[in-house]
Amino acid sequence: MSKYEKYFIDVSRFKKIDIYRYLELLPGHRGHAIEHALKKLVLCGVRTGGKPLKQDIIEARDTLSRKIQMWEEDEEYERSQNLAAPHDAVPLWTEEHEKNMDLLLLSRAETKL
């Protein structure tokens, strides 16, 4: 077994895969925001929306910045509830996070229309 074995995914059961299948096959769950940013970075400048490379990278950065902001909001809430999580603790991704990200992405899409 190669020391880089974790970087390989068996896709032999598929004729081809798209970015969504790729993300689904990766071990672990990163949450919608991180997977959204990964999609933008993997396909930056070549997706059907016609956005230039720089715009996709900016939007991936904005999405990751929002994810970090959400972690900080969660940490602040935990502190306010005297739940003091360890300094490097990352809250679990919840359905509430998913709804918030969907609302954020929807509002961004509507402002671009």
Side-chain angles (χ1 to χ4, degrees):
M1 180 175 185
S2 163
K3 72 177 187 175
Y4 299 108
E5 193 68 28
K6 65 183 173 186
Y7 296 109
F8 294 91
I9 300 170
D10 180 10
V11 295
S12 60
R13 67 183 180 148
F14 304 102
K15 288 184 178 184
K16 59 184 178 178
I17 63 171
D18 62 8
I19 187 66
Y20 300 105
R21 176 68 71 188
Y22 169 76
L23 292 169
E24 185 178 87
L25 291 171
L26 290 173
H29 180 66
R30 285 149 296 285
H32 183 72
I34 294 172
E35 290 181 351
H36 177 75
L38 285 169
K39 179 194 72 156
K40 286 192 160 292
L41 291 171
V42 168
L43 300 170
C44 57
V46 297
R47 294 180 307 117
T48 56
K51 293 180 187 172
L53 176 83
K54 182 178 179 181
Q55 184 61 35
D56 275 334
I57 292 171
I58 289 169
E59 289 178 10
R61 179 205 58 201
D62 292 347
T63 300
L64 293 172
S65 293
R66 175 63 183 132
K67 177 64 176 170
I68 292 167
Q69 184 183 37
M70 289 167 57
W71 282 335
E72 291 167 350
E73 291 168 358
D74 292 342
E75 290 168 356
E76 180 60 33
Y77 173 77
E78 289 171 0
R79 279 192 296 277
S80 75
Q81 299 298 309
N82 294 321
L83 300 175
H87 178 68
D88 61 344
V90 176
L92 295 176
W93 189 259
T94 65
E95 287 183 24
E96 187 66 28
H97 291 104
E98 201 78 34
K99 284 192 278 186
N100 289 340
M101 182 51 66
D102 288 343
L103 290 172
L104 175 70
L105 296 173
L106 181 61
S107 69
R108 283 188 181 170
E110 289 173 351
T111 57
K112 292 180 182 178
L113 293 178

